[in-house]
């Protein structure tokens, strides 16, 4: 096991490897408190090796499930974004899609904290 080109395999006290379908594998490495690798690695780090999954297919599936009628109705009901500024309907639709993607089906939250 190497960190930054330094062999730390003798300083390892534990490691765990986790992998979930569709995600990249993650490994947690714990160095011994008596490690001689001082200066090589300190603190905590999150290292991911591999390519993250392509969000395109998931986004396409999500958008395919959206009813255009319901999206338009919900966007037009969003008085928090109907302010006369340019692209208000598009901003309302994008805000709704973000919220729906996160499972937020409740009351709309103002854009930009307003």
């Amino acid at each position: 096991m190497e960190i930054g080109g330094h062999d730390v395999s003798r300083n390892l006290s534990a490691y765990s490897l986790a992998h979930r379908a569709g995600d990249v594998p993650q490994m947690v490495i714990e160095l011994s408190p008596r490690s001689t690798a001082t200066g090589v690695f300190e603190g905590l780090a999150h290292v991911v090796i591999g390519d993250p999954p392509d969000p395109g297919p998931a986004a396409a599936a999500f958008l395919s499930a959206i009813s255009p009628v319901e999206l338009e109705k919900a966007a037009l009901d969003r008085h928090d974004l109907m302010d006369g500024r340019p692209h208000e309907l598009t901003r309302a639709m994008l805000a709704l899609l973000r919220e729906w993607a996160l499972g937020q089906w409740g009351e709309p939250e103002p854009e930009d904290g307003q």
Side-chain angles (χ1 to χ4, degrees), residues 34 62 82:
R34 296 179 302 271
F62 170 75
M82 296 300 173

Side-chain angles (χ1 to χ4, degrees), residues 89-104:
L89 180 60
T90 304
R91 285 187 293 114
M93 287 182 170
L94 289 172
L96 278 167
L97 291 171
R98 275 191 304 271
E99 291 167 7
W100 291 354
L102 294 171
Q104 299 169 354

Side-chain angles (χ1 to χ4, degrees), residues 18-104:
H19 183 227
R20 293 182 180 182
D23 288 341
V24 294
Q26 294 184 350
M27 177 182 269
V28 176
I29 301 168
E30 295 179 36
L31 298 179
S32 167
R34 296 179 302 271
S35 172
T36 58
T38 306
V40 173
F41 179 80
E42 284 185 35
L44 302 173
H46 181 135
V47 178
V48 177
I49 300 173
D51 295 325
D54 180 7
F62 170 75
L63 292 172
S64 295
I66 302 294
S67 162
V69 173
E70 291 299 317
L71 177 60
E72 185 174 313
K73 181 182 179 309
L76 290 172
D77 286 344
R78 284 196 67 136
H79 301 294
D80 63 321
L81 295 177
M82 296 300 173
D83 53 13
R85 294 187 319 182
H87 316 293
E88 62 186 9
L89 180 60
T90 304
R91 285 187 293 114
M93 287 182 170
L94 289 172
L96 278 167
L97 291 171
R98 275 191 304 271
E99 291 167 7
W100 291 354
L102 294 171
Q104 299 169 354

